[in-house]
């Protein structure tokens, strides 16, 4: 939108917002008190949602966008950016979140999808979107739809980092592979990735995604966060890992510390000391196919 | 480059193109021998907290007060101020100025705008992201850019601040300006 010589909602402003979050931790919170704890611990943003993924798993049912009242309460409580989730394909939830002036919308597989064939056309919104991806092709499809930030999907609410590792390796490895292909091979690779050719070419030439790449899904400890950073993440989303642990205040600060100093094992060791119990984890083999959230979306 | 959190790589890429050698500052020792320090965009509360915990808050202050040149973009401008309108958070306090955080509103109000900058012949495209502005400045601070009445670029003896992000553009004039006018390189 152009007004008074000022253009809002440009892609540079949307993707730039995510660039400011790099090196930081974004924490899931379900009320104003948790949001304040997150801000105090050094979070760069909070994700406002009704139930953390571990509870969505435990309680079942349809998971939807959060109550605007709750989102408003969190916006009042903190000065850092507030993000919120919309269901995959539910563009009206996204319109509502934009009207509430949340700072970022996560079109998220953690909520129950509203459309099994289509994702939201994100380019038409002024508010930026982050989307999950399990591999490079999926990441580029979402960017093609207008996503201004990508995160690995991982397997949210399990406290098990294995899927986040798989997805980060797939995305980062896919980027490395593009770098050694010649021009003829790029079109074929775009076909194999089922991704827009122009974006495939951009990634091949620049050696990275055109937007910021965070990681999410199963991060529960400071060492998990540092692992994901060393695997190439620009920053970390932590969902259930903080507020489902024994001592959320200390764990939140510790994960921030480990993310800042991810290359320094001594600092990660120091951050890991005496945090009490981590959240109870789930083994992937124990999840039924229907319970796997990463398979939602395409 | 203060490399605790935020858009560090964007600044580093431009500095390399301009032929200077960027150093990522994470510890107190990294400050030694620097010709200048850039405090990037990011979350000012997060960077402020890490500055305190790492001991860098005092070291950056003494770097500055011994004449070390500093440039703060967005969060860096917040941290450079001596006070915020919105209450307590750790600040470097390098510039006599009162800062309004997120002064243009939330992300949906983030914008780009061509700005007239004192000392620049052509307008500069400012990318404002949840940007701050200076509500008021004290003696020794020269205002070099405004949006309406809001101060979005200012300069002191050995300091430069911008509420917007020159590092998100392909226009390197502000980086050249910092190196030439503030670092005297």
């Amino acid at each position: 939108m152009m007004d008074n010589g000022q253009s809002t909602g440009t892609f540079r402003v949307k993707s730039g917002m995510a660039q400011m979050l790099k090196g930081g931790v974004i924490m899931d919170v379900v009320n104003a008190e948790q949001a304040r704890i997150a801000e105090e611990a050094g979070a760069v943003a909070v994700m406002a949602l009704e139930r953390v993924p571990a509870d969505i798993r435990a309680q079942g049912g349809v998971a939807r966008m959060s109550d605007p009242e709750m989102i408003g309460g969190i916006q009042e409580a903190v000065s850092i950016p507030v993000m919120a989730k919309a269901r995959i394909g539910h563009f009206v939830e996204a319109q509502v979140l934009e009207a509430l002036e949340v700072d970022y919308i996560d079109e998220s597989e953690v909520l129950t999808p509203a459309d099994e064939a289509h994702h939201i056309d994100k380019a038409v919104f002024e508010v930026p979107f982050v989307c999950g991806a399990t591999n490079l092709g999926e990441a580029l499809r979402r960017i093609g739809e207008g996503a201004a930030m990508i995160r690995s999907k991982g397997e949210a609410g399990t406290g098990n980092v294995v899927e986040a590792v798989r997805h980060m390796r797939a995305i980062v490895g896919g980027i490395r592979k593009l770098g050694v292909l010649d021009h003829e091979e790029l079109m074929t690779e775009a076909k194999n990735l089922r991704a827009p050719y122009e974006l495939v070419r951009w990634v091949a030439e620049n050696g990275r995604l055109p937007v910021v790449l965070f990681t999410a899904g199963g991060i529960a400890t400071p060492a998990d966060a540092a692992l994901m950073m060393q695997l190439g993440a620009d920053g970390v989303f932590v969902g259930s890992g903080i507020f489902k642990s024994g001592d959320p205040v200390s764990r939140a600060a510790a994960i921030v510390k480990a993310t800042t100093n991810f290359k320094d094992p001594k600092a990660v060791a120091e951050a890991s000391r005496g945090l009490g119990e981590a959240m109870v984890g789930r083994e992937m083999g124990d999840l039924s196919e229907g319970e796997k959230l990463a398979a939602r979306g395409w | 480059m203060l490399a605790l959190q935020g858009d560090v790589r964007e600044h580093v890429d431009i500095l390399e193109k301009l032929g200077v050698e960027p150093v990522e500052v994470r510890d107190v020792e990294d400050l030694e021998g620097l010709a200048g320090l850039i405090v990037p965009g990011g979350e000012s509360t997060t960077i402020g907290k890490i500055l305190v915990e790492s001991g860098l808050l005092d070291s950056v202050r003494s770097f500055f007060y011994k004449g070390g040149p500093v440039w703060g973009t967005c969060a860096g401008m917040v941290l450079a101020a001596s006070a915020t309108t919105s209450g307590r958070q750790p600040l470097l306090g390098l510039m006599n100025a009162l800062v309004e955080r997120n002064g243009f509103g939330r992300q949906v109000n983030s914008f780009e705008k061509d700005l007239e900058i004192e000392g620049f012949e052509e307008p500069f495209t400012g990318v404002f992201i949840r940007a701050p502005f200076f509500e008021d400045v004290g003696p020794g601070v020269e205002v070099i850019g405004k949006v309406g009445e809001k101060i979005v670029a200012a300069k002191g003896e050995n300091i430069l601040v911008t509420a917007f992000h020159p590092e998100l553009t392909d226009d390197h004039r502000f980086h050249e300006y910092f190196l030439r006018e503030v670092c005297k390189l």
Side-chain angles (χ1 to χ4, degrees):
Chain A
M1 210 164 59
M2 186 82 176
D3 184 29
N4 206 4
Q6 294 184 196
S7 331
T8 54
T10 64
F11 193 72
R12 183 153 64 178
V13 157
K14 293 181 186 178
S15 61
M17 165 81 221
Q19 285 166 276
M20 300 312 141
L21 302 174
K22 286 194 298 179
V25 181
I26 300 166
M27 302 182 190
D28 278 2
V29 297
V30 300
N31 55 44
E33 190 202 337
Q34 290 186 353
R36 273 190 288 266
I37 291 174
E39 180 172 54
E40 193 71 18
V44 288
V46 291
M47 176 74 70
L49 75 178
E50 220 142 42
R51 295 179 281 170
V52 294
D55 288 335
I56 293 174
R57 280 185 186 285
Q59 294 159 8
V62 173
R64 309 179 181 93
M65 176 189 81
S66 301
D67 182 346
E69 177 105 355
M70 180 273 259
I71 295 171
I74 290 173
Q75 286 172 317
E76 284 295 304
V78 295
S79 67
I80 56 178
V82 176
M83 302 182 165
K85 290 181 192 285
R87 284 180 262 178
I88 291 174
H90 205 315
F91 52 86
V92 172
E93 284 190 347
Q95 290 164 6
V96 170
L97 293 175
E98 181 171 60
L100 295 173
E101 299 198 350
V102 303
D103 294 298
Y104 239 91
I105 296 175
D106 184 1
E107 186 184 19
S108 176
E109 71 283 359
V110 168
L111 305 185
T112 311
D115 188 327
E116 293 186 333
H118 309 95
H119 285 255
I120 297 170
D121 176 17
K122 293 165 274 287
V124 302
F125 286 80
E126 299 248 308
V127 65
F129 282 74
V130 55
C131 287
T134 58
N135 56 48
L136 180 58
E138 192 174 7
L140 296 180
R141 288 193 290 279
R142 296 294 82 78
I143 296 167
E145 291 159 353
M149 178 181 188
I150 293 293
R151 56 170 175 78
S152 67
K153 281 183 175 171
E155 199 51 56
T158 61
N160 188 341
V161 80
V162 65
E163 293 301 305
V165 168
R166 190 192 316 280
H167 301 158
M168 276 305 297
R169 282 200 180 275
I171 295 167
V172 174
I175 293 170
R176 264 197 295 268
K177 184 180 169 196
L178 287 187
V180 299
L181 298 183
D182 67 21
H183 270 203
E184 290 86 346
E185 292 169 318
L186 282 180
M187 185 60 88
T188 309
E189 192 59 15
K191 183 193 81 174
N192 294 339
L193 289 169
R194 297 185 293 140
Y197 173 72
E198 292 305 324
L199 288 174
V200 169
R201 213 175 122 170
W202 195 97
V203 172
E205 281 165 9
N206 292 276
R208 60 180 177 85
L209 291 182
V211 302
V212 165
L213 172 63
F214 265 51
T215 187
I219 288 115
T221 69
D224 286 350
L227 170 68
M228 300 314 296
M229 293 295 286
Q230 288 198 26
L231 284 173
D234 290 319
V236 180
F237 282 90
V238 186
S240 321
I242 290 171
F243 291 101
K244 284 285 156 190
S245 74
D247 181 357
V249 174
S250 310
R251 187 163 295 263
I255 290 179
V256 170
K257 196 167 248 173
T259 303
T260 307
N261 301 297
F262 69 95
K263 288 181 197 158
D264 178 356
K266 278 190 184 145
V268 178
E270 194 51 45
S272 306
R273 209 178 278 270
L275 294 180
E277 275 185 51
M279 72 176 280
V280 178
R282 295 274 305 268
E283 233 295 289
M284 287 308 130
D286 297 341
L287 298 181
S288 68
E289 282 310 307
E291 280 184 284
K292 290 185 180 160
L293 305 178
R296 294 169 167 182
W298 56 279
Chain B
M1 279 305 314
L2 190 69
L4 303 176
Q5 191 271 318
D7 69 336
V8 176
R9 197 212 68 231
E10 290 75 357
H11 277 292
V12 165
D13 285 352
I14 294 176
L15 292 173
E16 281 173 348
K17 279 184 198 154
L18 296 179
V20 295
E21 191 192 330
V23 175
E24 295 197 1
V25 174
R26 292 167 191 276
D27 290 306
V28 171
E29 305 85 69
D30 299 332
L31 278 170
E32 268 181 47
L34 296 186
L37 179 71
I38 299 179
V39 183
E43 261 316 302
S44 63
T45 50
T46 304
I47 299 175
K49 181 183 153 69
I50 305 172
L51 278 170
V52 172
E53 285 176 358
S54 61
L56 270 165
L57 192 82
D58 288 334
S59 320
V60 170
R61 274 185 193 144
S62 67
F63 171 81
F64 173 79
Y65 285 110
K66 283 182 202 149
V70 175
W71 176 18
T73 59
C74 195
M77 172 164 169
V78 174
L79 289 162
S82 45
T84 71
T85 55
S86 53
R88 293 185 306 136
Q89 71 179 81
L91 298 174
L92 289 164
L94 311 180
M95 213 172 195
N96 194 351
L98 176 65
V99 68
E100 170 93 21
R101 281 186 61 201
N102 307 331
F104 295 91
R106 298 185 186 279
Q107 172 61 14
V108 289
N109 305 114
S110 291
F111 63 96
E112 298 184 22
K113 185 183 173 68
D114 288 342
L115 306 169
E116 300 294 334
I117 302 291
E118 197 75 36
F120 282 42
E121 283 180 15
E122 299 290 324
F124 191 93
T125 304
V127 181
F128 292 82
I129 297 175
R130 286 170 46 93
F133 65 83
F134 279 169
E135 195 167 282
D136 198 13
V137 296
V141 179
E142 183 193 347
V143 175
I144 60 170
K146 282 185 173 186
V147 170
E149 285 310 300
K150 298 173 174 174
I151 299 164
V152 295
K155 149 176 204 301
E157 179 69 33
N158 56 331
I159 186 162
L160 175 66
V161 293
T162 54
F164 46 92
H165 297 280
E167 74 279 14
L168 295 186
T169 70
D170 296 324
D171 188 343
H172 302 160
R173 281 181 293 161
F174 252 104
H175 287 81
E176 288 162 355
Y177 180 87
F178 176 63
L179 296 175
R180 190 181 62 236
E181 302 292 326
V182 188
C183 300
K184 317 281 185 200
L185 291 178

